[in-house]
């Protein structure tokens, strides 16, 4: 179980941070009087960054140290996510959201590589189902925690 937790921790943390960004930050911005079109633009920049970095990393993903890169990117994502909660300048939030997208675009494929490298060569259907369940539980926890932070932020 601990091994599964370590394998899926990057996925859980990424999903939690994205949920924090998708739920908590818009509520905080609305409370600060920011219009919905401006908030929507932050999502556009986030997903644009994600698409750009996913395309870019696909050409060099085999040359990257997966474990080190995941740790560095998770740290950077955490710092950016929490700094977004304390910054009131929309221009800076736009930039930070774009960088969040860039990071997520790299983390997602790296996390899949980590999971694949960690799987035993011979794994039965029951074990695959358990791993899939762990992934879904972590995703649900990330969504719940992101929602709780958003709800308490307003």
């Amino acid at each position: 179980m601990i091994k599964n937790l370590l394998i899926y921790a990057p996925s859980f943390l990424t999903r939690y941070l994205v949920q924090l960004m998708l739920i908590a930050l818009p509520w905080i911005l609305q409370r600060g009087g920011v219009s919905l079109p401006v908030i929507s633009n932050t999502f556009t920049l986030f997903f644009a960054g994600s698409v750009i970095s996913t395309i870019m990393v696909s050409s060099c993903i085999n040359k990257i140290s997966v474990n080190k890169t995941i740790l560095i990117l998770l740290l950077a994502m955490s710092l950016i996510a929490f700094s977004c909660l304390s910054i009131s300048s929309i221009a800076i939030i736009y930039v930070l959201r774009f960088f969040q997208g860039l990071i997520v675009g790299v983390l997602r494929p790296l996390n899949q590589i980590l999971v694949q490298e960690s799987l035993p060569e011979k794994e039965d259907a029951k074990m695959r189902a358990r791993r899939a369940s762990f992934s879904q539980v972590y995703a649900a926890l990330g969504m719940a925690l992101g929602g709780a932070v958003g709800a308490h932020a307003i």
Side-chain angles (χ1 to χ4, degrees):
M1 178 160 160
I2 296 297
K3 183 178 179 183
N4 285 333
L5 180 63
L6 293 174
I7 291 170
Y8 288 105
S11 179
F12 165 71
L13 291 172
T14 304
R15 289 176 182 177
Y16 170 70
L17 291 169
V18 169
Q19 285 304 115
L20 180 69
M21 180 205 62
L22 292 175
I23 296 171
L25 190 57
W27 288 353
I28 292 169
L29 291 174
Q30 281 181 341
R31 185 176 183 202
V34 177
S35 69
L36 287 177
V38 171
I39 294 171
S40 295
N41 288 339
T42 66
F43 289 107
T44 302
L45 288 167
F46 171 79
F47 289 112
S50 183
V51 168
I52 289 168
S53 66
T54 300
I55 292 168
M56 289 173 44
V57 78
S58 66
S59 64
C60 64
I61 203 160
N62 293 331
K63 300 172 189 167
I64 297 173
S65 169
V66 174
N67 291 334
K68 282 183 186 178
T69 306
I70 285 176
L71 289 175
I72 291 167
L73 291 176
L74 285 174
L75 178 62
M77 182 67 132
S78 300
L79 294 172
I80 291 171
F82 288 110
S83 66
C84 279
L85 295 175
S86 63
I87 292 173
S88 59
S89 169
I90 294 301
I92 294 174
I93 289 177
Y94 279 168
V95 171
L96 292 176
R97 294 297 275 269
F98 180 74
F99 281 116
Q100 283 179 317
L102 289 175
I103 291 170
V104 168
V106 176
L107 275 174
R108 293 289 187 188
L110 287 182
N111 186 62
Q112 292 303 314
I113 290 171
L114 177 67
V115 169
Q116 291 301 319
E117 287 177 351
S118 303
L119 294 176
E121 287 187 29
K122 293 184 179 183
E123 185 176 54
D124 62 1
K126 183 179 178 182
M127 200 58 190
R128 283 193 305 273
R130 285 178 103 186
R131 288 186 190 281
S133 297
F134 274 112
S135 178
Q136 293 307 311
V137 167
Y138 295 146
L141 285 174
M143 290 179 190
L145 289 172
V149 169
H152 291 295
I154 60 169

